[in-house]
Amino acid sequence: MTFPTVVERWDVHEITLAGPADGNPFADVRLSARYQYRNRLVEAEGFYDGDGVYRVRFMPDAAGPWRFTTVSNVTELDGHTGGFEVTPASDGNHGPVRAVGTGFAYADGTPYLPFGTTCYHWTHDMDEDRERRTLRTLAASPFNKLRMCVLPTGQMAPPQVPFAGRDPDGLDKTRFNPAFFRHLEARIRDLRDLGVEADVILFHPYDGGLRGIQDMGRETDHAYLRHVIARLAAYRNVWWSAANEYDFNRAKTVPDWDDILRTIQRLDPYEHLRSIHNGTRMYEVASLYDNNKPWITHQSIQHWDATLTDEWLRVCPKPVVIDEISYEGNIGKRWGNVTGAELVDRFWEGMTRGGFVGHGESLAGFQERAWIGNGGALFGESPARIAFLRKIMEERRDGTLLRYLGRRQPAQVTVDLPPGDGYAAELIDVWNMTVTPVEGVHRERVRVGLPRRPYLALRLTRA
Amino acid sequence: MTFPTVVERWDVHEITLAGPADGNPFADVRLSARYQYRNRLVEAEGFYDGDGVYRVRFMPDAAGPWRFTTVSNVTELDGHTGGFEVTPASDGNHGPVRAVGTGFAYADGTPYLPFGTTCYHWTHDMDEDRERRTLRTLAASPFNKLRMCVLPTGQMAPPQVPFAGRDPDGLDKTRFNPAFFRHLEARIRDLRDLGVEADVILFHPYDGGLRGIQDMGRETDHAYLRHVIARLAAYRNVWWSAANEYDFNRAKTVPDWDDILRTIQRLDPYEHLRSIHNGTRMYEVASLYDNNKPWITHQSIQHWDATLTDEWLRVCPKPVVIDEISYEGNIGKRWGNVTGAELVDRFWEGMTRGGFVGHGESLAGFQERAWIGNGGALFGESPARIAFLRKIMEERRDGTLLRYLGRRQPAQVTVDLPPGDGYAAELIDVWNMTVTPVEGVHRERVRVGLPRRPYLALRLTRA
C-alpha cells in the first residue's frame, strides 16, 4: 500500500494497493476506505485500475489529521490503515461548487457564477495537440465550466473507449478500460488547474445502437456509475450530469433516470452537483424532468427562450442553468446557427433574470471539427461579449441593479429605485462592450434616454 | 333629384334628393335605390346628409346601361327613376379587392398583394396639412393598404366626431355628423386615387368609457353600421374591419361580433372584404375569433410570430394578413419598439410562408405624434426594405421559389428543386437590398454557400 502523508484540503488523496488480477476484478472485488476526521466517518469506494492495481481516491473537506481503514471482500485489500495530514487549501482552491439558493458558491464560500461552454467529445480522440489547444482556448476565455461526455457516440471510432474488449462490436461492458480513464482523469485535472468545472455527462442518446450504451440494463449501468464515480468523485471540479437530452433515449424511462440519479447520490460521498439535461425539441414548451426531485441540485435546461427563466425559478427554487440555448454557428441545424449577437442577447436575458446561460460554438469550416464537438479554438463573436458580461456580473454588489433592455429599442427607460439611497446610473452597450456614465445621482426613479439601437443595459449602483 | 348620366365602372354613382329635415331623418327615413343592369337587380341603401339632402351611392360593377328606382317610406323620396351609362374602368381602376384562395385579386383579375400600414386616427384631427403629408408619404412608400378607425378614442378631443351633439358627454348617437363623414370620405377617395385600400375599422375598444361607443347597444350599433356602409360601401377601395382588438371590448361577446359581421354582410351590396382583428396579449398563443365563419373573408391577425402563418393557413384556408406584428419604434410598449431589422425579418418570414404582414411605425420624438396614430412622415429603416420585398414578391412568377433563411446564419443552404427544369439561383440580402446571381443552371438540388450573416434569402427561377 502507498499513499501520501500530506494532502491539501479538497485535493485528491489516493491509496494504491496491490490485489488479485485474475477473474474479473471490476465485478468481483469490492473495495472501499473509511476515512475518519475527529468523530466523523466518510466512506469512499475504490476501483480496479488494471494490472493488479487497486486505488481508493478521497477528497478531504477539512484540514487536520485524517485516518483511514480499507474494507474489502478480498483479504489482501482489507483492513489496511493509515493516516495523513490535510493542509489548508492553497490560493485558487476553493473546494467543490455547491448550490446556494438559486445560485452557486464554492465550499469555502466564494461565489461561483457559472459561465459554461461545451466540448462534448474533446477527450475522445486522445489528440493531445488539440487538447492542449482547447485548454489554452479555455484559459483565455470567460468560461469556467465545461460540459463533456464520458461515453463516445455512434459516429466515432476513438482509439480508446471506457469499456474493455474490441470496439465497437466486441465490448465487454463488465470490464473497464484503465487507459481510457487515465486519459480522461488527466483532462479533468487540467480543467481543475485552470479553474474550470467539469460538468461530466454520464449518459447520452447518441450511440445510434452501435455499442448499445443507451440500453445496457440496470446492473451494467450501476457498475458503470460505480466505476466512474470511484474514479472521478474525488476531483473537486466534477459535476454530474446524469444525461444529455435524456428524453431522446427511448430505452430509459423517468423512473430509470430517478434510479440513476439516486445511485449517483448514494455513491458520491461529496454530494457533487447533480442534474439531468432535457432534449425536447426546441420551439416547443419542454416537458422537463421534475427538477424539484430532491436528488437534483440545479436545473440543467435546454431551451431557446431565456425569458422563461422567471417561470422556471418560480416552479422550482433551484439554480437555473440553460446549458443549451442554441450555439453561435453556421451549420444547418437550428440549434447550431444563431448569430453571435443573438447568443449574447440570450445570455443577458437569462443572467439578468437570475439564471445562468451556457455557450457553444458550431462554426464549421474553421478547423477540423467544431468547438462544440471537439474543442480546439473559438472563432465566434460571442466569447469576447460573454467575457464582458462576466466582468459586469462579477462587479455586481448588493444594491446593484442590472436592467437589460434586450432586442428592443425604446427611446428611454424608466426604473423605479429602492427608497432612501441615491444611485449612479451607467448605460451599457452589451455588444460594443462600452459602459457610459449617466450624469447625476438618482433617487426614487431614474429615466435615461437611449440611442436607437438594441442590446443595451442599465446598471444602477448605490452611491 | 340629380345624378350623373355617365360613370366609370367601379366608381361611385351618386343620386342626390331633397327630402324632409324635420324629426330625426337618420332614424325615421328609409331610403334605398334598386339598380338594374340587364336582368340583374342590386339594392343600395341611401343616407341622410343633413340640411334636407339625401344621397344614394352605388358602385356599378359592369359597363353598359343601368337604370334605378328609389324606394322610401317618405313620398317625396320614393319612386324616382333614372338611367346612366357605365363606361369601362380607366387605367389604374381594377375594382374592389377580393379574396381568391389564400391570396387576393382585384375584381378585374389583377393580383393584389397587400402591403399594409396603419395610421389609426390620421383623419380625426382634420389637420389638412398633416393629412396631405400623410398622403405624400404613402405615395412614396410601398404601402397599398391603410388601417384606419372611424371612431375616435377616449384620449382625443377631435373637432368633429361621427355623432351629432356635444362631444363627448352630450352626444346623440341616433344622429350622425355629416361634416365628420364628408371629411372622412374625402380621405378615402384620396387613398383610392393613390391605389391604397382603406381597411376601415368600425369598432375599437379605446374609448375608455368616455363616449360609451364600446357599448352602444345592438340597435345603435346597427344604425351606425347602416349609416357608415351607406356612405362608404360604394368606394371600391373600402375593406371592413369589424373591430380592432375585439377581445379587449368587455361589453361585446363573440355572438355580438357575429351579429355585427353578418349585419355588415347584409348591408354591403358589394361584398367588400370583412375581417375582425384580435388583440389577445402578445407572447401568448392567441385564441382567435374563428375565421372559418362564412362571413369572414380573410384572417386579420395580431401576433408577433410570423412563422405561425403555416399553422393559421392549415386551420383556415383564407388569406392570412398579420395586420399587427409589432411596430418599428422606440416607445416603452413591447408592441411598439422593435428594430427595423426585426420588423423586416418578420415580413419575410410571413410573406414567404404565404401570408401578408402589416407595417406600423411608433418612433416618437420625430414629429408631434407617431405614424401609427396620426400619420405624417416615416422615419424608420423598414419601409425601404419593405419596398424591396414588395418588388421581389411582385417579380415572382409561376415556378419562382423563394426561400427565406431568417435570423440564422447557416454556412450553406440546400434546396431540392422540382424535377425536370433547370433553375437560376440568386442570393438576396433582404436588409442590404442586394440580389447576387449564383453561377450556373441548377437541376434537382442546389447548394449555395452563404456569407456569415443573417437576413438572407434564396430566389430560384425556372430557367
Side-chain angles (χ1 to χ4, degrees), chain A residues 15 109 219 244 253 292 337 364 427 445 449 455:
Chain A
I15 308 167
E219 195 180 344
N244 215 47
T253 62
N292 281 298
N337 59 21
L427 185 62
R445 166 174 290 196
Y455 308 139

Side-chain angles (χ1 to χ4, degrees), chain B residues 330-394:
Chain B
N330 64 355
I331 64 173
K333 307 280 189 183
R334 283 190 77 79
W335 50 259
N337 58 21
V338 300
T339 62
E342 185 148 343
L343 183 58
V344 170
D345 171 68
R346 294 178 185 192
F347 261 79
W348 276 84
E349 286 287 1
M351 298 194 87
T352 56
R353 285 178 155 82
F356 302 97
V357 181
H359 164 270
E361 184 178 292
S362 46
L363 279 166
F366 295 86
Q367 55 190 1
E368 192 196 347
R369 288 192 61 200
W371 172 262
I372 190 72
N374 290 44
L378 286 165
F379 301 89
E381 298 180 294
S382 63
R385 279 79 184 187
I386 294 168
F388 176 75
L389 167 60
R390 180 170 170 182
K391 183 170 159 288
I392 297 287
M393 296 303 286
E394 290 179 346

Side-chain angles (χ1 to χ4, degrees), chain A residues 260-386:
Chain A
I260 283 167
L261 281 151
R262 296 173 72 168
T263 302
I264 297 167
Q265 183 178 35
R266 182 169 50 78
L267 293 170
D268 170 8
Y270 318 108
E271 295 269 348
H272 284 293
L273 292 162
R274 284 177 303 269
S275 67
I276 183 165
H277 186 68
N278 66 294
T280 308
R281 282 170 53 201
M282 294 165 80
Y283 300 93
E284 294 181 6
V285 174
S287 70
L288 300 172
Y289 188 88
D290 182 0
N291 285 315
N292 281 298
K293 288 178 178 172
W295 42 85
I296 296 287
T297 56
H298 64 284
Q299 310 181 59
S300 172
I301 288 172
Q302 176 171 178
H303 202 288
W304 62 277
D305 186 357
T307 69
L308 294 174
T309 299
D310 303 324
E311 177 62 9
W312 295 320
L313 286 172
R314 192 185 64 73
V315 169
C316 176
K318 298 180 188 179
V320 163
V321 184
I322 312 173
D323 279 307
E324 186 170 344
I325 199 163
S326 306
Y327 306 133
E328 179 175 1
N330 63 356
I331 64 173
K333 308 281 188 181
R334 284 191 76 80
W335 49 259
N337 59 21
V338 300
T339 62
E342 184 148 343
L343 182 58
V344 170
D345 171 67
R346 294 177 185 192
F347 261 79
W348 275 85
E349 286 288 1
M351 298 193 87
T352 55
R353 283 178 156 80
F356 303 96
V357 182
H359 164 271
E361 183 178 291
S362 47
L363 279 166
F366 295 85
Q367 56 189 1
E368 192 196 347
R369 289 192 62 201
W371 172 262
I372 190 73
N374 289 44
L378 287 164
F379 301 89
E381 298 180 292
S382 63
R385 277 81 183 185
I386 295 168

